[in-house]
Amino acid sequence: MSAILPPSNRLWWKQPIDKVEWAWIAIAFVWGMVMFAMMVYWHVYGNQNLSNEAYKTTPELFAAKAEKFIAENTIRTETEQAIPVVKVPAGGDGYLIARLWAWYPILELEKGQTYKIHLSSMDYNHGFSLQPVNINIQVIPGYEHVVRMTPTKEGTYAIVCNEYCGIGHHSMLGRIYVK
Amino acid sequence: MASTYRTCPVSGLQFENHAEKLMRWNAVAGVLWLLVGGITALLVILTRWPAIKLLPADQFYLILTAHGIDMLILWILFFEMAVLYFASSTLLRCRLAAPRIAWLGFWLMAIGGIVTNIAIFQGESSVMFTSYVPMQAAPHFYLGIILVAVGALLGVAVFFGTLVVAKRDRTYQGSLPLVTFGALTAAIIATFTILAGAGILLPTFLWSVGLIKEIDAQLYRMVWWGLGHSSQQINVAAHVSVWYLTAAVIFGAKPLSEKVSRFAFLLYILFLQLASAHHLLSDPGMSAEWKVLNTSYFMYFAVMASMIHGFTVPGAIEAAQRRKGYTNGLFEWLRKAPWGNPVFSGMFISLVSFGFLGGISGVVLGTEQINMLMHNTFYVPGHFHTTVVTGTTLAFMAITYLLVPVLFQRQMILPKLCQIQPYLFGISMSVLGLVMMGAGTLGVSRRHWDMAFSGAPFQYEWPGAAYLMMGFTGIFGVLAVIGGGLWILLVVGSLLFGKKLDGGKVSTRPTPIPDQSQAASAVAHGSEHVGVPGTVVLALLLFVCFVLYYFVNWKYLSEVWLLS
């Protein structure tokens, strides 16, 4: 009779399905296929795909590589804390450390160049949130994520941490310059 | 104590005494947790409202952790236990299997909830609902959640046992009612969800007391979301069951097709577990192939299931209304629906908000590449406040207007306010979800105390529109809290001061459900097929919104930096 009683037709699985219901099921199915195809399509023809390149690492290993990169490519320091501004070689590798509670160092990029930016965390989970572009990537301790990025516009960009990482979370703000 | 059976004179529902007491205690415990969750909600909202910014940072993160745990786990799980006992013992008119085990489960959940809350309010466990390692909470934070999970598992076992009892005692003929079938779906999903939870929380507990040295942060995220997301699928299965229940009670609505509705529930069991993958779309540790395969839930079969329910629930209502003669135009059936009855209005707002806001935003958020635009932004809580709050919580609130008279035998007090409450809560919460998604689209972070980044070495100024959205978040958040608080007042007030109603006859034996297959099939032939054109129009409207919004986001994505 109703949804709170056993089906009135004991052989309910033999009841034919109405045309309208079939049509809706078909629409839902086809739409699911379209959405599935869109993701694959974008991997082939789209220009915004998250990199598949990632390695297991440790905070010590990653920090050593980043320090070497910073020592070789620093062009100046900024703020009272003398945070190094590091010019990433065009088409080359840049390292960005996420730690409590800073993004280190400041990176300087050029518009239209493609960079391999290595991301990892020294401690907790952090969230790389590039603003105002609004690209968001999870940064996890023990994993080195190599993301290829091509800036499309000049300007000063902020990196907000958008994964909760403790009491100083809101002060974890980094910077990227695009010349 | 031997079982006795009370037949409610209003609804004809039959309550077994053990099940009845358990349902009451679980529902009341749920409401008390909702009260704690609601107070914390107000504090969270008043802190994120940039013009007010009530709490200091440490208290904000503490309160936000409590809000997540008390709402997502405790309020909903306790209420779901009541739903499970109702869908088994009451709808099948049989005794509850092993009430002592059910009570053990209840007390484990209650004690676990209190222990975890003690840990949170002691201040050393502000790790958020997700408690991602290596950030560490006090050991009793994890221990409490484990106790809650064990208790819930016992409740689920009692539900399964009760289905066996009903079958053995032959209290019904043929197949399970659809609502019970939906609850069975929820219980099956709950079983493997809780096992995934045990798989991660036990090691995390051992790690917090120093017995395990390290837990891989990526592995934690993957297994934890087997608990975290799947538990939301329990809610979906439960609230869809409640929608069918409401349609049946208010309209005598019959599913358009038993086969289609049951098949859709089956799809939930088969494919929803994979949904945990869409929390990991912006993570380093999984390949794109893995992400695409899992987020498309093997070609979106679970999304298809929700789209089917979104069609068959209003379709069943439309068919029932048309049979009663409301056949003019496309929407007379809807216009003449009992909009003044909070059981119906709450259920219908829940259905619309879950479909149009929660459903669409969830699928878009769960698209591999588009996820990068929204991951961990305020969009995410915006999305789940339109699934788990306007979807699940509002559906549970609505059905409570029915449960207070039939289960607690009390008349609801202040009927005018009862009429307003679902609109106040449902609409303000829906708008809240929308403006939260708006702020997230502009990049605003979730779980973030200060949009001004005080103490940071640099400055970043959010767009003015982001502040506007956060202001709206404050206003509609406060309205939603008032709507939720009103519900708690009405329910608790009715339980304490509502007019006592006649409980009906008590018998020592259950009255089985009469076998209707003979009589009903004759009727069914007479009233044959009823078209549902109004529902078709609503469904197509949903589909058009879905497609447009989906492709608008691909457009946004195509405009950001190039990534490969």
Side-chain angles (χ1 to χ4, degrees):
Chain A
M1 262 309 266
S2 80
I4 54 171
L5 293 173
S8 53
N9 185 343
R10 291 284 287 266
L11 302 176
W12 51 267
W13 58 88
K14 285 191 176 168
Q15 265 182 340
I17 297 172
D18 187 55
K19 260 187 253 159
V20 177
E21 272 185 282
W22 266 127
W24 181 246
I25 293 169
I27 289 174
F29 180 77
V30 171
W31 176 232
M33 297 293 279
V34 169
M35 292 194 293
F36 170 70
M38 258 320 277
M39 291 192 281
V40 179
Y41 167 86
W42 204 262
H43 271 284
V44 181
Y45 298 104
N47 289 317
Q48 290 82 13
N49 288 291
L50 187 60
S51 158
N52 264 333
E53 190 179 345
Y55 305 96
K56 284 282 268 178
T57 185
T58 63
E60 296 73 30
L61 273 175
F62 188 80
K65 284 202 275 184
E67 288 302 340
K68 182 166 174 289
F69 156 76
I70 293 164
E72 286 169 3
N73 298 289
T74 298
I75 49 175
R76 61 177 187 275
T77 60
E78 278 188 6
T79 76
E80 287 161 14
Q81 298 148 33
I83 304 170
V85 179
V86 186
K87 189 167 168 55
V88 187
D93 293 66
Y95 290 79
L96 187 63
I97 290 176
R99 64 182 183 214
L100 303 175
W101 287 286
W103 296 98
Y104 183 84
I106 300 169
L107 299 179
E108 190 170 297
L109 311 175
E110 274 176 47
K111 184 184 143 185
Q113 297 285 343
T114 300
Y115 300 91
K116 289 167 83 175
I117 305 298
H118 299 239
L119 297 169
S120 191
S121 163
M122 296 294 106
D123 31 62
Y124 297 155
N125 274 266
H126 294 287
F128 174 92
S129 179
L130 186 71
Q131 297 299 338
V133 187
N134 203 13
I135 294 170
N136 304 282
I137 300 169
Q138 187 79 21
V139 183
I140 298 180
Y143 289 80
E144 178 177 349
H145 198 181
V146 188
V147 182
R148 270 171 295 277
M149 292 184 189
T150 314
T152 53
K153 237 172 105 183
E154 292 160 10
T156 302
Y157 294 90
I159 310 167
V160 177
C161 177
N162 73 1
E163 182 61 80
Y164 170 68
C165 56
I167 188 72
H169 173 47
H170 62 273
S171 65
M172 186 168 165
L173 195 63
R175 179 162 279 190
I176 291 182
Y177 292 109
V178 178
K179 299 275 177 189
Chain B
M1 191 169 69
S3 293
T4 58
Y5 300 84
R6 175 176 75 82
T7 305
C8 167
V10 185
S11 61
L13 293 167
Q14 188 174 295
F15 293 97
E16 190 241 13
N17 56 337
H18 298 289
E20 184 171 24
K21 196 170 174 196
L22 275 156
M23 280 184 250
R24 289 179 179 181
W25 278 65
N26 275 288
V28 168
V31 173
L32 293 178
W33 286 117
L34 186 73
L35 177 64
V36 181
I39 294 168
T40 52
L42 185 64
L43 295 170
V44 168
I45 277 289
L46 290 180
T47 307
R48 288 229 58 168
W49 193 345
I52 296 183
K53 215 171 160 188
L54 183 70
L55 299 178
D58 57 339
Q59 288 179 24
F60 170 73
Y61 293 125
L62 184 155
I63 289 293
L64 187 53
T65 305
H67 175 64
I69 298 272
D70 292 342
M71 288 300 206
L72 279 168
I73 297 187
L74 295 167
W75 140 247
I76 287 187
L77 264 185
F78 273 104
F79 201 93
E80 272 165 356
M81 288 302 139
V83 170
L84 285 184
Y85 299 144
F86 180 87
S88 53
S89 165
T90 305
L91 289 185
L92 299 180
R93 301 193 187 182
C94 66
R95 70 178 174 83
L96 193 76
R100 283 203 181 135
I101 304 278
W103 280 110
L104 178 63
F106 173 84
W107 286 110
L108 281 176
M109 284 171 62
I111 292 166
I114 292 167
V115 166
T116 296
N117 268 272
I118 288 173
I120 296 170
F121 282 98
Q122 281 171 337
E124 299 302 315
S125 301
S126 301
V127 294
M128 301 292 141
F129 176 60
T130 45
S131 55
Y132 293 138
V133 303
M135 189 183 278
Q136 199 173 60
H140 52 304
F141 173 85
Y142 308 106
L143 186 67
I145 299 176
I146 292 168
L147 290 179
V148 173
V150 173
L153 203 54
L154 292 179
V156 170
V158 169
F159 170 79
F160 289 134
T162 306
L163 296 189
V164 175
V165 168
K167 192 88 197 162
R168 204 183 48 202
D169 295 355
R170 295 174 189 279
T171 58
Y172 67 101
Q173 308 285 322
S175 306
L176 290 175
L178 181 63
V179 172
T180 309
F181 188 85
L184 173 63
T185 309
I188 292 172
I189 299 174
T191 306
F192 56 70
T193 298
I194 293 171
L195 292 179
I200 197 65
L201 285 172
L202 285 175
T204 308
F205 170 70
L206 295 176
W207 167 74
S208 73
V209 295
L211 290 174
I212 288 180
K213 201 163 140 274
E214 199 191 345
I215 293 176
D216 185 275
Q218 179 73 78
L219 183 74
Y220 177 94
R221 282 170 61 80
M222 187 170 88
V223 186
W224 192 88
W225 279 112
L227 164 75
H229 201 92
S230 310
S231 57
Q232 307 318 312
Q233 315 308 345
I234 308 171
N235 303 338
V236 174
H239 81 228
V240 171
S241 304
V242 169
W243 290 346
Y244 280 113
L245 170 67
T246 310
V249 171
I250 303 278
F251 299 99
K254 170 187 166 176
L256 290 180
S257 157
E258 292 278 355
K259 186 159 54 176
V260 169
S261 295
R262 282 164 201 252
F263 176 67
F265 274 122
L266 187 67
L267 287 178
Y268 278 158
I269 300 179
L270 294 178
F271 295 101
L272 275 177
Q273 183 73 342
L274 306 165
S276 62
H278 67 226
H279 294 268
L280 313 173
L281 294 178
S282 295
D283 281 22
M286 288 82 181
S287 72
E289 292 83 359
W290 186 88
K291 290 170 182 172
V292 169
L293 191 66
N294 284 299
T295 47
S296 57
Y297 310 164
F298 287 92
M299 291 166 250
Y300 289 102
F301 279 128
V303 174
M304 191 168 116
S306 281
M307 286 174 76
I308 291 173
H309 290 306
F311 182 87
T312 56
V313 173
I317 293 174
E318 178 171 1
Q321 287 281 78
R322 284 183 184 274
R323 283 198 191 95
K324 285 185 198 140
Y326 297 116
T327 51
N328 286 334
L330 281 175
F331 293 115
E332 193 195 17
W333 62 275
L334 195 55
R335 278 200 314 277
K336 297 278 171 72
W339 292 101
N341 180 348
V343 184
F344 169 73
S345 62
M347 170 265 166
F348 207 81
I349 297 170
S350 162
L351 174 76
V352 171
S353 184
F354 180 80
F356 278 85
L357 302 177
I360 293 179
S361 66
V363 177
V364 170
L365 185 57
T367 305
E368 199 226 350
Q369 294 94 336
I370 293 176
N371 182 265
M372 280 188 290
L373 295 175
M374 300 156 174
H375 177 70
N376 271 351
T377 67
F378 217 40
Y379 193 96
V380 179
H383 152 70
F384 68 69
H385 278 80
T386 51
T387 54
V388 84
V389 187
T390 57
T392 309
T393 297
L394 184 55
F396 289 177
M397 283 179 169
I399 201 70
T400 304
Y401 289 109
L402 176 79
L403 288 181
V404 169
V406 303
L407 176 62
F408 291 90
Q409 299 157 43
R410 296 277 188 166
Q411 199 169 42
M412 287 300 299
I413 55 167
L414 306 170
K416 281 279 167 222
L417 283 176
C418 292
Q419 285 191 358
I420 297 169
Q421 189 274 332
Y423 294 96
L424 176 63
F425 182 75
I427 294 172
S428 53
M429 188 59 82
S430 299
V431 177
L432 173 68
L434 265 180
V435 292
M436 287 170 88
M437 289 185 230
T441 305
L442 295 163
V444 177
S445 312
R446 70 184 293 198
R447 297 173 168 173
H448 200 281
W449 175 68
D450 187 10
M451 284 175 78
F453 305 102
S454 50
F458 317 106
Q459 281 303 305
Y460 173 65
E461 190 64 39
W462 292 103
Y467 278 97
L468 184 70
M469 289 293 167
M470 294 308 286
F472 281 140
T473 297
I475 293 166
F476 287 98
V478 168
L479 284 175
V481 169
I482 292 171
L486 178 60
W487 181 81
I488 295 175
L489 271 180
L490 289 169
V491 170
V492 174
S494 301
L495 296 189
L496 295 175
F497 310 113
K499 198 181 117 198
K500 275 202 172 151
L501 298 173
D502 174 25
K505 269 191 300 197
V506 177
S507 145
T508 51
R509 302 173 66 83
T511 317
I513 300 169
D515 183 5
Q516 295 151 327
S517 50
Q518 299 299 324
S521 59
V523 176
H525 279 292
S527 66
E528 259 320 305
H529 174 67
V530 181
V532 289
T535 302
V536 171
V537 170
L538 288 179
L540 289 177
L541 179 68
L542 172 81
F543 184 65
V544 169
C545 293
F546 198 162
V547 173
L548 287 178
Y549 186 66
Y550 180 75
F551 284 109
V552 161
N553 277 284
W554 282 107
K555 175 82 172 61
Y556 284 150
L557 182 71
S558 72
E559 289 163 357
V560 304
W561 289 14
L562 312 188
L563 299 159
S564 61

